[in-house]
Amino acid sequence: MPAPHIRPARSDDEEALRRLDRDTWSPLHAVDSPPGPDAPFFREHSGPGDHLVAELDGTLVGYVRLGFPTELASNAHVRQIRGLAVADAARGHGAGRALVRAAVEEARRLGARRITLRVLGHNTTARKLYESEGFVVEGVQPEEFHLDGAYVDDVLMGRSLT
């Protein structure tokens, strides 16, 4: 299979991204309820310009959402990965890694000094991917979420971009 193509999201990606979000929803990585069939993917504070998408053979197979961790001006030098999803059929083909790398490069391009993310403690696949891309655990909020009948840690990870 060819390497994934990463590009900025477009407004006409909405339906494919909405479908991807529904299809990939899992308590392994989501802390909220599954998205409804008519729930918009793009929102007021998270539009196409905040997303990069992965395509394999012209099919959209993943996305990464990049934003600010807070609205504070004193925190504006930091970008945060606020969502990452890859279609089940595309896993193992480098789409997730390509999206993480693209997010890091986009954060650099935007002038960020750091990039951070939050990942659930039981999501070992995602944690290994982030660690392999230079992210380190910077904090843990024990039992921060109750998901699927279990208490789950919220793991804070980050890396420098300088």
Side-chain angles (χ1 to χ4, degrees), residues 17-79:
L17 289 167
R18 183 177 18 216
R19 192 170 37 254
L20 178 67
D21 240 15
R22 276 195 318 265
D23 292 348
T24 60
W25 185 92
S26 164
L28 182 63
H29 58 78
V31 296
D32 53 1
S33 302
D38 298 323
F41 180 82
F42 296 126
R43 294 184 172 87
E44 181 181 345
H45 297 291
S46 183
D50 300 311
H51 295 81
L52 298 169
V53 299
E55 293 178 333
L56 284 171
D57 293 328
T59 300
L60 194 147
V61 297
Y63 74 84
V64 63
R65 179 179 299 125
L66 196 58
F68 292 98
T70 72
E71 296 180 12
L72 299 169
S74 59
N75 191 227
H77 63 286
V78 180
R79 293 294 186 282

Side-chain angles (χ1 to χ4, degrees), residues 84-118:
L84 175 75
V86 174
D88 289 342
R91 291 184 188 206
H93 297 285
R97 183 172 306 281
L99 285 164
V100 170
R101 288 178 179 174
V104 166
E105 289 311 309
E106 180 67 1
R108 266 195 194 105
R109 187 187 72 75
L110 294 169
R113 295 179 49 84
R114 288 182 33 76
I115 186 168
T116 63
L117 59 88
R118 296 170 65 176

Side-chain angles (χ1 to χ4, degrees), residues 7 13 15 19 24-25 28 35 37 56 62-64 72 83-84 96 98 102 127-128 131 133 136 141 148 151 153:
R7 64 166 175 81
D13 292 324
E15 183 54 37
R19 192 170 37 254
T24 60
W25 185 92
L28 182 63
L56 284 171
Y63 74 84
V64 63
L72 299 169
L84 175 75
R127 290 178 61 184
K128 287 178 184 177
E131 288 170 0
E133 291 299 319
V136 297
Q141 294 176 297
D148 206 27
Y151 290 97
D153 295 348

